[in-house]
Amino acid sequence: MTILALTDLTKRFGKQTALDAVSLDISPGERVALLGHNGAGKSTMMKLILGLLTPDGGTVQIAGHPPGSAVARSLTAYLPENAAFHPSLTGREMLRHYLRLRGQDPRGADALLEKVGLGDAGGRRIGGYSKGMRQRVGLAQALIGTPRLMVLDEPTTGLDPISRRDFYALLDELAERGAAILLSSHALSELEARTDRIVVLAQSRMVAQGTLADLRRAATLPLTVHLAARAGQGAALAQAFPEAQAEGDRLILACPQEDKLTVLERIAARRDLIADFDLSSPTLDDLYAQISGRENGRAA
Amino acid sequence: MPGRVLSTAGIEFRIALRNRWVAVGAAMMVLFSLVLSAAGAGASGLAADPLSVIVASLVSLAVYLVPLIALLISFDAVAGEAERGTLQLDLTYPLSRSELLMGKLLAQLAVVILAVLAGYAAAAAMAFGAGGADAAAGLGALWRLTWTSALLGAAFLSLGHAMSCVARRASGAAALVIGLWLVMIVLYDLGLLAAVMADNGGAFTTRVFPWALVLNPADAFRLFNLAASQAVDAASGLAGAANSIAIWKPLTSLLLWPVLAAALARLSFARVQP
Ligand SMILES: Nc1ncnc2c1ncn2[C@@H]1O[C@H](COP(=O)(O)OP(=O)(O)OP(=O)(O)O)[C@@H](O)[C@H]1O
Ligand SMILES: [Mg+2]
């Protein structure tokens, strides 16, 4: 069963294509992260899902209903990027309003504020909130009721590291209760172990999809080896590893996964020249750069 | 549905209260009403009671101020929310565009009515202070002025909403409503007067002019109030016109304008893509 189904979804703004034939299914309880460079089409895709924009091609279905329909609206929660609630209202007033719009008891506002860590600030005007506090008002309104589908556009911007952790814990809880979650993010490192699936958009097209492990396997990125020479042995070391790049007093060496052992043997053999070495796996940022960069190259 | 409209109206009224629109609107109306009453009190050569005399001068005040206040309160309604990014959020809630507009209109109409009531109450207090119990004869005219002011306000609030949808940005909407006010309230009358003078009693004056007056909500407001109280409005320069037009015409115009303007606002809102 799928709660969200996109087929060949396409959106153009004038001549520019903001989303190009994207197909995607999300099941209840699934957490999906949407990655992509600025202008890749993440927000556009979310607005199409919410019925705020009308597609130029393809379809969106939310539990079988068209986006923007009464049923779809009642099933979906949204956190827009950069929502700035009216500065003259207090956090509590804002949430009471949103609760009433969803036909819920406005007395639930305090519990929601508590949940996002705004328990003490609920009576103050939003104009006096910090950036992170304003973001939490947005999060709180997205938690109203029991949404079956949550669409969160860069939900963790402005949150400190502890709040981010709390936020993802909250998502886990919601996903366990069956909510499907689609969120976009630029912070790759925080997505590890937080999402079931990653979808990468680049130049308005979907270029990769899968678990983090899937993506890593497909990417075949090299490891990076840092070598530090013993005093006075810099030139000799550079000769021993001619393929390495010099950076300051260190050498940097790219090492394909399958050559790991060979490189280690070479290092051990020249221990007279080497003071220290470091071996690092590719980071998520490297992985991401490769996935979207490869696609950029092809598009260019 | 009423719950969602009322909640929207409640939030909007609170915003108006905190942005001091309620206080500023009421202060403007009170101040101008008092000045007009003081100025008009001595010049009552007519047989009318003191309140009726004041109401006649309040009509020409309200015709400028009520649309101005209404437009100033309403221009931010859609453009401001679109700019803040809350419009797209509101539209993902189970809240229709009509309900959203209706909620805002209700709250802003309450603000206009409060301002108008404060101003007219101050003027009435002056009249009763000066003329004693005689002034009671003018209460009917005052009541008429009050509810027609509410209709006039409602029409211009919705026109402000339409401008807000067309402009998309709050600053652009502000410019549009000031332009609209100048055209509909000031230039329209000046243009008509110039045309009447040039026409010199010809077909324009007898055929087109009365309809042109009735079609503009502000002129309809003025005509209706003056004709109904049979007072002479020296300030408007349209004296005499009031007597030649059947009273149902400006009344119908006043009743239709809020509805048509609300429909126009709704149509413009439909074209806004958040
Ligand atoms: N209303 C609009 N009118 C015209 N072009 C638009 C509009 N909205 C988005 N675009 C264009 O569509 C493309 C995708 O934009 P979108 O906002 O979806 O990017 P994004 O992936 O969310 O980027 P970011 O990471 O910066 O938030 C961009 O090139 C943008 O210029
Ligand atoms: Mg975006």
Side-chain angles (χ1 to χ4, degrees), chain B residues 84-186:
Chain B
R84 284 197 300 278
T86 44
L87 184 62
Q88 36 176 303
L89 182 59
D90 287 349
L91 292 179
T92 63
Y93 270 78
L95 172 80
S96 72
R97 291 187 183 217
S98 301
E99 288 171 336
L100 183 65
L101 270 190
M102 216 184 301
K104 285 181 182 271
L105 180 63
L106 268 185
Q108 292 168 351
L109 187 57
V111 176
V112 171
I113 290 176
L114 280 179
V116 158
L117 283 179
Y120 298 169
M126 289 277 284
F128 277 98
D134 278 357
L139 281 176
L142 188 68
W143 167 240
R144 204 158 40 230
L145 176 65
T146 310
W147 65 258
T148 49
S149 297
L151 287 176
L152 185 65
F156 276 90
L157 284 171
S158 287
L159 288 177
H161 292 163
M163 297 297 114
S164 197
C165 295
V166 171
R168 312 275 162 99
R169 309 214 143 262
S171 52
L176 275 185
V177 297
I178 293 296
L180 184 77
W181 183 81
L182 271 178
V183 168
M184 286 189 72
I185 310 295
V186 182

Side-chain angles (χ1 to χ4, degrees), chain B residues 185-204:
Chain B
I185 310 295
V186 182
L187 297 179
Y188 192 86
D189 283 4
L190 283 181
L192 283 187
L193 273 184
V196 166
M197 301 251 233
D199 185 50
N200 201 12
F204 177 83

Side-chain angles (χ1 to χ4, degrees), chain A residues 47 52-54 73 78 80 82 84-86 88-89 93 97-98 100-102 125 141 144, chain B residues 4 7-8 11 14-15 18-19 84-86 88-96 273-274:
Chain A
K47 287 180 186 172
L52 292 172
L53 295 175
T54 42
R73 286 189 196 201
Y78 176 44
N82 319 318
F85 298 98
H86 202 288
S88 306
L89 298 170
E93 286 166 345
H97 172 58
Y98 284 127
R100 278 192 229 105
L101 288 187
R102 287 221 183 267
R125 301 225 181 140
Q141 65 78 30
I144 291 174
Chain B
R4 294 194 291 268
S7 183
T8 310
I11 282 285
R14 238 175 266 224
I15 292 173
R18 299 209 177 130
N19 286 352
R84 284 197 300 278
T86 44
Q88 36 176 303
L89 182 59
D90 287 349
L91 292 179
T92 63
Y93 270 78
L95 172 80
S96 72
Q273 266 202 348

Side-chain angles (χ1 to χ4, degrees), chain A residues 217-258:
Chain A
R217 224 171 295 131
T220 63
L221 277 173
L223 297 122
T224 310
V225 185
H226 290 254
L227 298 175
R230 283 183 195 273
Q233 304 292 344
L237 186 63
Q239 251 171 17
F241 292 91
E243 73 272 38
Q245 304 273 321
E247 197 184 283
D249 51 354
R250 290 151 69 88
L251 289 180
I252 296 180
L253 193 66
C255 156
Q257 298 280 356
E258 60 272 20

Side-chain angles (χ1 to χ4, degrees), chain A residues 17 19 26 58 78 139 143 160 198 215 231 234 248 276:
Chain A
T17 303
L19 203 66
I26 302 185
Y78 176 44
L139 287 176
L143 300 176
D160 60 54
I198 291 177
L215 296 185
D276 194 12

Side-chain angles (χ1 to χ4, degrees), chain A residues 7-115:
Chain A
T7 31
D8 291 330
L9 195 60
T10 302
K11 178 70 189 175
R12 279 182 285 271
F13 293 106
K15 277 190 184 151
Q16 188 198 11
T17 303
L19 203 66
D20 193 358
V22 170
S23 299
L24 180 69
D25 283 341
I26 302 185
S27 316
E30 211 180 359
R31 299 161 302 171
V32 177
L34 201 53
L35 297 182
H37 58 82
N38 291 132
K42 305 181 294 294
S43 301
T44 302
M45 180 167 145
M46 292 184 164
K47 287 180 186 172
L48 287 165
I49 291 172
L50 292 154
L52 292 172
L53 295 175
T54 42
D56 292 309
T59 57
V60 178
Q61 289 209 311
I62 292 135
H65 298 274
S69 63
V71 181
R73 286 189 196 201
S74 67
L75 295 177
T76 317
Y78 176 44
L79 174 66
E81 63 182 338
N82 319 318
F85 298 98
H86 202 288
S88 306
L89 298 170
T90 69
R92 182 177 297 118
E93 286 166 345
M94 204 68 248
L95 286 179
R96 288 174 64 92
H97 172 58
Y98 284 127
L99 279 161
R100 278 192 229 105
L101 288 187
R102 287 221 183 267
Q104 307 250 336
D105 187 347
R107 280 171 295 186
D110 287 320
L112 281 172
L113 286 166
E114 204 63 54
K115 219 173 197 168

